[in-house]
Amino acid sequence: MSITPKEAKDKLDAHVRETIEWHFSPATGSPFWVDAAQGKNPLLKLDFDPRQKVTCFDDLKKFGLFEDDWLRGGPVRRWLPKALWDKPTYVFETGGTTGIPKSRVVVDDFRIDYETFSATLPDSFFPKGSNWMMLGPSGPRRLRLAVEHMCQFRGGICFCVDLDPRWVVKVIKKGWMEHLKAYQEHVIDQAITILSAKHDIKCMFTTPKLLDALCGRLEKDGTTLKDQGITGVFCGGTEMTSQWIRFAIEELLGPDIYIAPTYGNTLMGLAASEMPTAADNYKIAYYAPEPRAVVQVVDLDDPAKVVDYGQTGRVMLTTLTRELFIPRFQERDEGEREKPSAKYPWDGVSGVRPYRGFAATTVVGVY
């Protein structure tokens, strides 16, 4: 049942109040935020009581901007509400090519996020009970476990490759292009082996670069993804442009394979998109999983100002789950603000690409 933008906003405001009460209550809350409200946090001392002063989403501006360096180093348990400390807990990393990576502690959020995203996939192309291949980064990232859980949630078994993107970035920085090519071939070799082993795989997660490389290898071998039995591809990555998605649909996949573009990260979960079409010039418009995560497109020079629809700005993320509260986090991406859709009655973002302030120093690796 669809809801109106006004109903969605009311739901979000109520969710904000619930989240603030949970994370700032000394009985249940996260040490980082409880200490900040009590003036005991050396990184952040709040001059207001969030449980009294934050009554809607717009009130989150009172927090200012979240500093991503606060997520580097430990103790990581300070981010987890005390009410959850007796639960089995994961820690996932993001970044870390140089210096200390950012960390996120998780109990069930990765499962909830991917179960929510699962509901957006068309069963005709992503059949329930189907096996999956996870062709993406492994290691201390949540992506591998999250995709595997979604596969299991849908009744399948997930086959994974081994991929270390931090090594790839080091190789690129050293200019070892021959090593880069060899490592990419090593990753694709693993995928080809899985597909050739008669595991009856119908669905896969991958990234634009790896999908390009896999389809190129299959073409050399005289076959295609369709020939291998793939009917649905869930794809994510910073190089998901309209130009690339058109190429993927027309040249790599063909009419019998559905591609589901996504925009997400360790803090956000997954922003979903409908499969792009020629009628809309293959535009990819992403919508965050509100109210658990909210994406805003803000002015490049004034993060307090949301840009007009169709205008370019920097992506700002707010995470609002029982496990994590991160208000007003400026992402390393920019894009255009999109109007609410019939399916998603809140703002979206299109044309996502590296933020111009960082683009020159951002290294995009094998995936």
Side-chain angles (χ1 to χ4, degrees):
M1 180 176 130
S2 61
I3 62 175
T4 66
K6 171 66 165 59
E7 290 169 330
K9 184 181 185 305
D10 290 344
K11 182 179 178 181
L12 174 59
D13 288 343
H15 184 76
V16 166
R17 293 191 292 271
E18 179 183 318
T19 301
I20 292 292
E21 178 62 33
W22 174 259
H23 280 277
F24 283 88
S25 168
T28 61
S30 320
F32 183 91
W33 293 114
V34 172
D35 288 351
Q38 295 177 350
K40 300 176 182 178
N41 185 341
L43 296 177
L44 176 67
K45 291 180 172 61
L46 299 175
D47 58 3
F48 64 97
D49 181 353
R51 291 196 289 168
Q52 297 295 322
K53 299 298 185 181
V54 176
T55 62
C56 63
F57 181 79
D58 286 345
D59 284 344
L60 295 178
K61 288 181 178 179
K62 298 177 189 296
F63 287 98
L65 298 177
F66 186 90
E67 299 287 340
D68 68 345
D69 278 348
W70 294 341
L71 295 171
R72 300 184 193 276
V76 295
R77 198 177 287 272
R78 64 186 167 171
W79 296 104
L80 188 67
K82 285 185 177 179
L84 303 177
W85 278 21
D86 63 341
K87 305 288 186 183
T89 303
Y90 298 85
V91 60
F92 298 128
E93 294 180 359
T94 181
T97 303
T98 58
I100 297 172
K102 289 173 284 188
S103 299
R104 176 182 179 178
V105 286
V106 176
V107 176
D108 286 312
D109 269 354
F110 74 95
R111 298 184 182 95
I112 297 168
D113 289 340
Y114 277 68
E115 288 173 16
T116 301
F117 171 71
S118 173
T120 72
L121 296 175
D123 290 345
S124 55
F125 292 97
F126 297 86
K128 297 286 178 62
S130 296
N131 293 339
W132 283 62
M133 177 170 70
M134 159 61 186
L135 179 55
S138 52
R141 296 156 199 85
R142 88 173 198 159
L143 189 58
R144 177 266 163 102
L145 279 178
V147 171
E148 186 169 47
H149 173 73
M150 185 174 72
C151 169
Q152 294 169 347
F153 176 72
R154 297 178 67 85
I157 298 170
C158 191
F159 295 81
C160 304
V161 303
D162 193 19
L163 195 171
D164 177 6
R166 290 177 183 167
W167 174 244
V168 173
V169 171
K170 285 185 176 181
V171 165
I172 292 172
K173 287 183 174 180
K174 289 179 180 292
W176 295 349
M177 293 302 108
E178 185 178 337
H179 293 256
L180 174 65
K181 183 66 175 174
Y183 193 80
Q184 186 180 72
E185 289 176 356
H186 164 64
V187 174
I188 297 303
D189 284 344
Q190 296 175 63
I192 293 293
T193 299
I194 291 170
L195 290 176
S196 67
K198 296 183 171 56
H199 290 308
D200 192 27
I201 293 169
K202 289 186 170 59
C203 311
M204 62 183 290
F205 167 83
T206 192
T207 66
K209 278 191 173 182
L210 291 175
L211 185 61
D212 277 342
L214 175 60
C215 291
R217 174 73 71 83
L218 290 172
E219 184 178 14
K220 284 184 181 178
D221 295 343
T223 184
T224 64
L225 267 186
K226 179 185 175 183
D227 294 339
Q228 298 300 314
I230 300 296
T231 59
V233 176
F234 153 32
C235 198
T238 54
E239 299 191 346
M240 195 98 66
T241 63
S242 294
Q243 181 180 11
W244 181 85
I245 206 79
R246 178 177 183 175
F247 169 75
I249 291 170
E250 294 180 349
E251 303 294 334
L252 302 180
L253 304 179
D256 299 317
I257 299 178
Y258 185 101
I259 185 167
T262 58
Y263 168 52
N265 55 39
T266 304
L267 301 180
M268 179 195 305
L270 283 173
S273 172
E274 296 299 299
M275 182 169 172
T277 63
D280 204 22
N281 293 318
Y282 295 94
K283 181 168 72 173
I284 311 170
Y286 298 111
Y287 292 87
E290 287 197 18
R292 289 171 53 80
V294 179
V295 162
Q296 297 171 284
V297 183
V298 299
D299 188 272
L300 296 171
D301 300 315
D302 181 7
K305 178 185 175 184
V306 175
V307 302
D308 293 333
Y309 289 117
Q311 297 303 302
T312 300
R314 187 170 176 180
V315 176
M316 178 182 284
L317 169 68
T318 293
T319 304
L320 296 159
T321 78
R322 285 177 74 80
E323 296 176 21
L324 187 67
F325 171 59
I326 301 287
R328 300 171 56 74
F329 178 93
Q330 288 196 286
E331 291 282 5
R332 299 174 67 88
D333 306 305
E334 63 180 62
E336 284 68 54
R337 183 186 178 197
E338 291 292 326
K339 292 182 178 180
S341 71
K343 187 173 182 179
Y344 303 102
W346 49 79
D347 286 1
V349 59
S350 65
V352 175
R353 54 201 178 270
Y355 169 57
R356 63 192 66 185
F358 299 139
T361 59
T362 299
V363 177
V364 180
V366 72
Y367 79 101

